[in-house]
Amino acid sequence: KSAGVYEMHTWTSHHSTNCHPGHGAEKIEGHEALSGDHVLFKCENACLGEPSCEGIVWENTSDGQMQECHLRTKIDVAECVTDNAFNMRLLSREAPEEPKEPDTSPKAAKESEGSKDEDADWPQWKTYSATNCYTGEGADHIDGKDPVPGHKSLKECQESCLADAQCDAIVMRSTEIPMQENCWLHKHIVLEKCEIDQAFILWLSPAYDKSAGVYETHTWASHHSTNCHPGHGAEKIEGHEALSGDHVLFKCENACLGEPSCEGIVWENTSDGQMQECHLRTKID
């Protein structure tokens, strides 16, 4: 196990994130960009086999297919840049901690009280790249704030949401036109009904109702060349059809996060390594 390849590990996805020299990460000498068939598998395996590797970054084409993938070290996610065309997976080589039972003591309850602003530590906002929710497509609008008048920074848009008791999430559009409105506030978010659109990014408020489990901190552990299906280690989830099309990995992860019984996802690759239909699974063994 000296190379770290076979240690327990997890991958944490950071959509619309690019970490590169000068912006939150460094290259690893001697490791060129990877491309071709099954590029995600190649890249994950190369990172697992390089002790200094802390994560991978890849670029998507306009139709959501993966292009070159790069290994990264000395990653500081807070210093990485937001870019709809890129995705990053952060590697943890240690087994994840067992979840702790929530503290229901009166003291803990008192400490948790307060306004949304007290909970507004910016890293708590969950980010979903290439995701646009609006009235009729996974969200309801908030009067006068769909969009918020003017061109807003990310923090300004988040502050507007935190100041509105109805607000569950914000949607922002990438634009370099300083006078163009770019911030929308929404309520009643249902992620799996939102649209996939590279021009938009969704941020979920830290004060949003977490009862469905959608917005809890999470990691994804990859199991290559593995199929779990009824009769062989997993069960289907009724009411959830197979997902396909552009950005199928994003769609599938978001759908699983939005379904409390979902324990994992399974997808099939074509001969050239592209993703086909993706399925939600429960009761995985």
Side-chain angles (χ1 to χ4, degrees), residues 5 31 34 40-51 53 56 71 93:
V5 179
H31 286 274
L34 296 163
L40 178 59
F41 296 164
K42 290 178 181 176
C43 212
E44 287 184 341
N45 286 343
C47 186
L48 287 166
E50 168 53 57
C53 185
I56 60 176
L71 274 58
R93 298 179 186 269

Side-chain angles (χ1 to χ4, degrees), residues 116 119 124-126 138-139 161-162 165-169 186-191 203-216:
K116 286 184 176 182
D119 288 332
Q124 295 179 15
W125 289 76
K126 300 301 178 187
C161 181
L162 292 168
Q166 301 179 83
C167 185
D168 294 331
H186 294 302
K187 60 185 179 181
H188 305 154
I189 300 295
V190 182
L191 276 176
W203 278 269
L204 290 162
S205 168
Y208 189 68
D209 178 13
K210 299 179 181 179
S211 60
V214 181
Y215 313 117
E216 297 171 357

Side-chain angles (χ1 to χ4, degrees), residues 134-282:
Y134 53 92
T135 302
E137 297 292 337
D140 291 330
H141 82 287
I142 297 176
D143 290 339
K145 298 175 183 179
D146 185 20
V148 175
H151 186 87
K152 303 297 182 183
S153 68
L154 172 59
K155 187 171 183 179
E156 288 172 337
C157 192
Q158 289 175 328
E159 286 174 338
S160 296
C161 181
L162 292 168
D164 190 312
Q166 301 179 83
C167 185
D168 294 331
I170 64 171
V171 170
M172 295 195 76
R173 177 175 59 192
S174 299
T175 175
E176 296 180 356
I177 303 174
M179 299 303 293
Q180 193 173 55
E181 292 167 330
N182 65 336
C183 167
W184 288 261
L185 273 54
H186 294 302
K187 60 185 179 181
H188 305 154
I189 300 295
V190 182
L191 276 176
E192 58 191 285
K193 294 184 179 180
C194 299
E195 285 191 345
I196 302 298
D197 189 330
Q198 286 276 26
F200 294 87
I201 304 176
L202 173 78
W203 278 269
L204 290 162
S205 168
Y208 189 68
D209 178 13
K210 299 179 181 179
S211 60
V214 181
Y215 313 117
E216 297 171 357
T217 301
H218 62 276
T219 56
W220 295 97
S222 298
H223 296 265
H224 300 163
S225 301
T226 303
N227 188 12
C228 304
H229 56 90
H232 292 277
E235 294 184 11
K236 293 181 179 180
I237 300 177
E238 295 300 322
H240 287 275
E241 302 299 324
L243 296 163
S244 60
D246 296 344
H247 312 288
V248 66
L249 179 60
F250 297 163
K251 291 178 181 176
C252 212
E253 287 182 342
N254 286 348
C256 185
L257 288 167
E259 169 53 58
S261 68
C262 186
E263 298 177 2
I265 60 177
V266 173
W267 69 88
E268 185 179 2
N269 288 322
T270 61
S271 58
D272 61 354
Q274 304 302 338
M275 295 180 181
Q276 296 197 91
E277 288 187 341
C278 183
H279 307 265
L280 275 59
R281 293 289 186 255
T282 189

Side-chain angles (χ1 to χ4, degrees), residues 4 24 26 33 36 55 77 104 115 163 179 182 186 226 246 264 283 285:
E26 294 184 10
V77 178
T104 57
S115 69
M179 299 303 293
N182 65 336
H186 294 302
T226 303
D246 296 344
K283 298 181 180 178
D285 182 357

Side-chain angles (χ1 to χ4, degrees), residues 8-10 92 94-99 219:
M8 179 70 75
H9 65 274
T10 56
S92 172
E94 298 178 353
E97 293 181 2
E98 290 295 320
T219 56

